[in-house]
Amino acid sequence: MPAPSTLAAAEAAAASPTPESAIPLYISVLTSPEEGDQVQQDKEKALTHLADLYKQRGDAKALSSLVKDSRPLLASLPKAKAAKILKSLIDAFPEGPEALELQVLACREAVEWASSTSRVFLRQQLETRLISLLLASQAYNETLTLVTSLLRELKRLDDKMTLVEVHLLESRAFHALRNLPKARAASTAARTNANSIYVPPILQAELDLQSGLLLADERDFRTAFSYFIEAMEAFNTLEDPRVRRAIKYMLLCKVMQGTPEDVSGILASKPGTRWAGPGTEAMTAVAEAGKDRSLEAFEKALSQYGQELREDPVVRRHLSSLYDTLLEGNVLRCIEPYERVEVAHLAKLLKLPLAQVESKLSQMILDKQFYGVLDQGAGCLIVHDKPTTDQTYEATLTTLKHMGDVVDSLYEKAAKLT
């Protein structure tokens, strides 16, 4: 039979300095009209090897065509094996916006094919993967629509493992939309289902990471830190690159807790040293700025590590809060010696635009962080001492209340005597 020799030639070409020459050979194996068990096995190998080759080249279009062209072969395979191969083909797409779009399209078509061939379990697995891809492409409304229909079906079948995955994806979607109550509810549902079954360590780490993110949004950074530790340890054991994300969030919690001095201890640990990178360097710079309470150092860190700090929405959101805290602390420190000071002078001290300083002063006065008045005509801030409350009024009101109670009591007793 020509197929085995062709497959051997293709494998040899793939291992050569010009692996692209193996592509037409693998395709010839896949399109061979011959039949038989050996031919079938060769086609399976050719399909997976060709997908790996496309993955190495980052050829998303070729992978998309391969997923579509592989359906006749997958239809002839046992359902479990076909499901495994198809999912590996979907996961072989490279990263990037264009590749993600093609990956979503390929996954949609795979879902339709699984539905038309009555492969219910495979369809559910592919729909779960499609949800994660839609979430990555920020199509949140479509994500939640698909989640709702799939959850209804999974609850009827009592498929707890898939329920855990889908509830976790639902929580991420609501979290991205900033609907924290529903994100917490979905996370709780995922953990409830996980408690009744064995959950793979990688999925448990993802659950811990999501729980930590939700607690951080509630500003419970101490508990969030403990969840991030669990996630970090699991990812580190599994050699999963997401360990860097968990470490970054651990550092973020320490900074937001007001204990930036603990950052160096985390980075000196074995996982911190092993997985050090731009993300940990960025958080170290932020921690140093927080330790020195330096707004200038904080802005320098944002400028130097903009990609690591601004592209992550979680870090960006919390650092915005940290920036406000540092700015307020610097404002209070600058106005402390004065009873009356020009706003332009404060702007010069803070090295910030005049309009931004005026806006921040107005906000702080309204929030009663200090007492004062902005005289915009003169361009000055007039700082007042904190008003003291005269306790005489409260004592008088308390005395009058007690006297009223005594009169009421005497009235009731007099009424009983008559």
Side-chain angles (χ1 to χ4, degrees):
M1 291 186 299
S5 59
T6 307
L7 178 62
E11 291 174 341
S16 70
T18 55
E20 293 82 4
S21 59
I23 293 176
L25 296 174
Y26 280 132
I27 293 175
S28 67
V29 174
L30 290 171
T31 55
S32 173
E34 297 192 26
E35 297 180 358
D37 293 340
Q38 186 60 48
V39 174
Q40 190 84 332
Q41 292 176 13
D42 290 342
K43 287 184 177 182
E44 291 174 31
K45 290 181 181 178
L47 180 60
T48 54
H49 292 338
L50 184 58
D52 290 339
L53 196 55
Y54 285 149
K55 182 179 180 180
Q56 292 171 10
R57 297 179 62 195
D59 195 340
K61 290 183 178 179
L63 277 167
S64 180
S65 300
L66 184 62
V67 172
K68 188 181 298 184
D69 296 338
S70 65
R71 291 176 193 169
L73 173 61
L74 295 175
S76 64
L77 296 176
K79 290 186 176 182
K81 182 178 285 188
K84 183 179 179 181
I85 293 175
L86 183 55
K87 285 191 288 185
S88 68
L89 293 177
I90 297 293
D91 292 338
F93 280 76
E95 296 182 358
E98 294 182 4
L100 181 59
E101 188 176 344
L102 289 170
Q103 192 176 16
V104 169
L105 180 60
C107 195
R108 286 186 198 277
E109 293 175 347
V111 168
E112 293 173 1
W113 174 76
S115 180
S116 64
T117 54
S118 302
R119 298 172 184 245
V120 177
F121 179 75
L122 175 58
R123 176 182 57 78
Q124 292 172 348
Q125 296 297 309
L126 290 172
E127 283 184 344
T128 303
R129 186 71 180 99
L130 178 58
I131 289 170
S132 66
L133 293 173
L134 290 171
L135 187 58
S137 61
Q138 300 181 358
Y140 301 123
N141 291 330
E142 188 178 357
T143 298
L144 293 173
T145 301
L146 187 55
V147 162
T148 302
S149 62
L150 184 56
L151 282 177
R152 192 181 302 115
E153 186 177 350
L154 293 172
K155 287 175 182 176
R156 189 169 61 250
L157 297 173
D158 199 29
D159 185 351
K160 292 191 180 296
M161 179 61 73
T162 312
L163 274 171
V164 172
E165 296 178 28
V166 177
H167 274 305
L168 177 59
L169 293 170
E170 181 187 23
S171 179
R172 289 175 180 168
F174 279 124
H175 186 230
L177 291 170
R178 307 302 301 144
N179 190 335
L180 296 184
K182 288 191 175 181
R184 283 194 297 270
S187 178
T188 302
R191 299 190 77 88
T192 302
N193 283 287
N195 288 337
S196 59
I197 59 171
Y198 169 75
V199 176
I202 190 69
L203 183 55
Q204 185 61 53
E206 291 174 354
L207 288 171
D208 290 334
L209 189 67
Q210 180 65 12
S211 297
L213 292 175
L214 294 173
L215 286 164
D217 277 339
E218 295 173 3
R219 305 196 68 77
D220 185 358
F221 295 109
R222 185 180 299 277
T223 312
F225 181 80
S226 65
Y227 276 105
F228 290 141
I229 286 180
E230 295 291 334
M232 181 272 291
E233 290 177 347
F235 285 138
N236 183 48
T237 303
L238 297 166
E239 305 267 337
D240 192 299
R242 281 175 291 184
V243 65
R244 290 191 176 92
R245 191 178 176 210
I247 293 174
K248 182 166 68 171
Y249 293 155
M250 288 168 61
L251 302 180
L252 177 66
C253 285
K254 288 299 181 183
V255 172
M256 297 304 297
Q257 272 183 274
T259 55
E261 60 276 4
D262 294 343
V263 165
S264 57
I266 296 172
L267 293 176
S269 65
K270 190 174 180 180
T273 305
R274 179 183 179 189
W275 298 99
T280 55
E281 291 175 8
M283 291 310 302
T284 302
V286 170
E288 289 297 324
K291 189 189 301 183
D292 299 337
R293 296 182 179 180
S294 170
L295 198 62
E296 185 178 0
F298 182 80
E299 290 181 334
K300 184 179 178 181
L302 288 178
S303 174
Q304 185 176 356
Y305 300 100
Q307 183 176 358
E308 290 78 14
L309 298 176
R310 297 184 191 277
E311 288 190 359
D312 189 328
V314 175
V315 174
R316 183 174 66 244
R317 186 163 54 249
H318 288 294
L319 290 188
S320 176
S321 172
L322 179 63
Y323 179 84
D324 286 340
T325 303
L326 287 175
L327 178 55
E328 289 167 2
N330 277 262
V331 168
L332 291 173
R333 185 174 60 190
C334 288
I335 68 174
E336 188 176 4
Y338 301 101
E339 290 184 356
R340 183 185 180 93
V341 59
E342 290 185 352
V343 179
H345 179 63
L346 289 177
K348 185 178 179 181
L349 291 175
L350 294 167
K351 299 180 181 179
L352 291 173
L354 179 62
Q356 183 180 349
V357 174
E358 285 184 345
S359 175
K360 192 62 184 176
L361 289 171
S362 301
Q363 179 190 335
M364 292 176 70
I365 291 171
L366 291 173
D367 292 342
K368 296 185 178 179
Q369 296 188 26
F370 71 91
Y371 293 87
V373 175
L374 267 176
D375 186 346
Q376 290 186 321
C380 291
L381 171 70
I382 302 169
V383 184
H384 298 154
D385 292 332
K386 184 177 180 180
T388 57
T389 305
D390 192 343
Q391 301 298 324
T392 305
Y393 297 108
E394 293 185 9
T396 302
L397 290 172
T398 303
T399 303
L400 289 173
K401 182 178 182 301
H402 290 325
M403 289 179 64
D405 293 340
V406 170
V407 170
D408 291 340
S409 177
L410 291 173
Y411 178 79
E412 289 175 4
K413 289 181 180 179
K416 290 178 181 178
L417 291 174
T418 58

